[in-house]
Amino acid sequence: MSMPLRQSLRIGGYILRNKLRGREKFPLIVELEPLFACNLACAGCGKIQHPHDVLRKRMPVEQALAAIEECGAPMVSIAGGEPLMHPQIDELVNELVRRRKFVFLCTNALLIPKKIDKFAPSPYFAWAVHIDGLRERHDASVCKEGVFDDAVAAVKECKRRGFRVTTNTTIFNTDTPQTVIDVMNYLNDDLRVDEMMISPGYAYDKAPDQDHFLGVQETRELFRKAFGDGNRKRWRFNHSPLFLDFLEGKVDFPCTAWAIPSYSLFGWQRPCYLMSDGYAQTYRELLDETDWDSYGRGRDSRCANCMAHCGYEPTAVFSTLGSLKESLRAVRSV
């Protein structure tokens, strides 16, 4: 299963309008980071390695809204850090929803019980809870015991209140096809989240743990085995079918990181939220003054093992809409 029909139709229309206007590069979703601070210290994350004066900063709501309006993306993924630590996060979400942006609030879920009353269910809003595995695996990933149980309890409460809940699972070389199957089965069948996202981890330069990131061949083999036996068809993924093909190695794509730009306290990050080669003050500057042809596997050594969604999911979406066969396939999976 792919993304919700309302979302699919909206994104499809948005892409078509941009193509008809002759725009070569445009954003699908913005990775908005209104802060870098977090209440966890995950081994695979490089965001919390910023200096303390940076970790104390919070992006003003007006600045965040201006960035989203400037670039015009129909979807916003609010990340960090832990965005629920932002004192005005509910105001930011409500303003984006009012503008009919599809908002995914990425969170480790620990603060949901304290913040949930500030939010209301909407077809334009979803919690995106990070769950990297079942109890032992997840707690090891976030370097703290009890987080898995707290996250599960928060998801259940969100579902009880009528919120749309998605999950985001990062895969490392400590995973096996069976650990992936186990967590996907649990999220899909037991916890019954609305949709799931899955992606291989990227080797952040500042990540404390540099030993457990997957290579390309490892990634393809792992996903090929995990998606077998009909699992892929029955799991409720918030991904295009072609991106899942990409993870399995059935197709390959160039990186189109400009379609999922990252906007943070420093500005528009070059070239994506996983790498930092400087910042632009406007999205137009990011597009026009970044040498996009120098990035991607085979072009930049830092990209050699990257199969992350921020570079390749948009390419899969563009390829889907550029093919009648793939478009029909995507519609059938909704």
Side-chain angles (χ1 to χ4, degrees):
M1 179 174 283
S2 187
M3 63 181 64
L5 182 59
R6 179 199 298 261
Q7 184 179 336
S8 298
L9 293 175
R10 174 84 174 277
I11 302 310
Y14 167 81
I15 293 174
L16 180 60
R17 288 192 299 275
N18 276 281
K19 292 291 187 181
L20 291 175
R21 292 168 183 165
R23 295 184 66 186
E24 180 183 353
K25 294 181 175 68
F26 50 89
L28 290 182
I29 181 170
V30 173
E31 295 279 354
L32 177 64
E33 298 177 311
L35 79 172
F36 294 124
C38 190
N39 50 356
L40 289 175
C42 303
C45 180
K47 297 295 182 178
I48 61 170
Q49 303 303 316
H50 288 289
H52 290 295
D53 61 323
V54 174
L55 293 177
R56 287 195 293 267
K57 292 182 179 180
R58 307 291 184 262
M59 184 185 295
V61 171
E62 295 77 11
Q63 179 183 340
L65 293 174
I68 302 303
E69 290 295 336
E70 178 219 339
C71 75
M75 298 184 288
V76 183
S77 174
I78 306 178
E82 171 50 59
L84 286 178
M85 292 177 65
H86 194 294
Q88 295 174 289
I89 189 61
D90 55 310
E91 180 182 340
L92 175 57
V93 168
N94 290 337
E95 284 296 320
L96 290 170
V97 167
R98 189 173 66 82
R99 289 164 167 78
R100 297 181 66 199
K101 304 292 184 180
F102 290 98
V103 180
F104 299 87
L105 181 56
C106 304
T107 175
N108 56 41
L110 296 182
L111 292 175
I112 286 180
K114 294 181 179 179
K115 301 283 188 173
I116 193 170
D117 289 337
K118 296 179 179 290
F119 300 87
S122 165
Y124 293 98
F125 173 69
W127 300 99
V129 179
H130 205 99
I131 296 182
D132 280 343
L134 297 182
R135 183 179 291 105
E136 182 178 353
R137 169 74 182 80
H138 180 72
D139 287 353
S141 176
V142 301
C143 304
K144 185 177 181 180
E145 292 184 2
V147 175
F148 177 82
D149 290 337
D150 289 342
V152 166
V155 167
K156 290 179 178 178
E157 179 61 14
C158 290
K159 292 289 293 179
R160 188 188 70 81
R161 296 195 186 200
F163 286 96
R164 178 183 170 199
V165 180
T166 67
T167 54
N168 186 20
T169 300
T170 304
I171 303 301
F172 298 93
N173 67 8
T174 49
D175 282 297
T176 66
Q178 192 58 52
T179 64
V180 174
I181 290 169
D182 289 343
V183 69
M184 292 293 106
N185 279 342
Y186 177 77
L187 297 173
N188 191 84
D189 302 335
D190 299 319
L191 204 52
R192 299 189 64 79
V193 300
D194 293 279
E195 291 95 27
M196 302 175 293
M197 294 175 283
I198 191 168
S199 185
Y202 175 79
Y204 280 105
D205 288 340
K206 294 183 179 181
D209 182 357
Q210 289 289 319
D211 298 326
H212 294 120
F213 293 100
L214 288 159
V216 170
Q217 294 306 317
E218 292 176 294
T219 297
R220 290 170 174 167
E221 182 178 358
L222 188 150
F223 281 105
R224 193 178 301 121
K225 292 179 179 178
F227 287 167
D229 297 326
N231 288 329
R232 174 177 153 174
K233 291 184 178 180
R234 66 184 184 81
W235 288 336
R236 294 182 296 277
F237 280 123
N238 191 15
H239 290 300
S240 63
L242 273 180
F243 180 70
L244 300 178
D245 286 349
F246 168 76
L247 292 179
E248 289 191 63
K250 294 178 178 179
V251 296
D252 201 7
F253 294 123
C255 174
T256 50
W258 43 264
I260 305 187
S262 173
Y263 184 76
S264 73
L265 294 163
F266 300 135
W268 295 96
Q269 186 169 327
R270 292 191 177 99
C272 64
Y273 83 96
L274 297 173
M275 293 167 58
S276 181
D277 284 356
Y279 296 85
Q281 293 308 302
T282 67
Y283 180 66
R284 176 50 54 188
E285 180 187 337
L286 177 75
L287 289 186
D288 294 345
E289 299 183 17
T290 303
D291 183 7
W292 298 105
D293 291 337
S294 66
Y295 295 103
R297 279 184 281 115
R299 298 175 178 177
D300 189 310
S301 60
R302 295 170 297 176
C303 305
N305 290 316
C306 181
M307 294 182 70
H309 70 94
C310 64
Y312 298 99
E313 177 82 79
T315 326
V317 172
F318 295 140
S319 298
T320 296
L321 293 179
S323 164
L324 177 59
K325 176 182 176 182
E326 292 299 335
S327 295
L328 293 174
R329 180 185 176 206
V331 169
R332 286 194 299 268
S333 69
V334 173

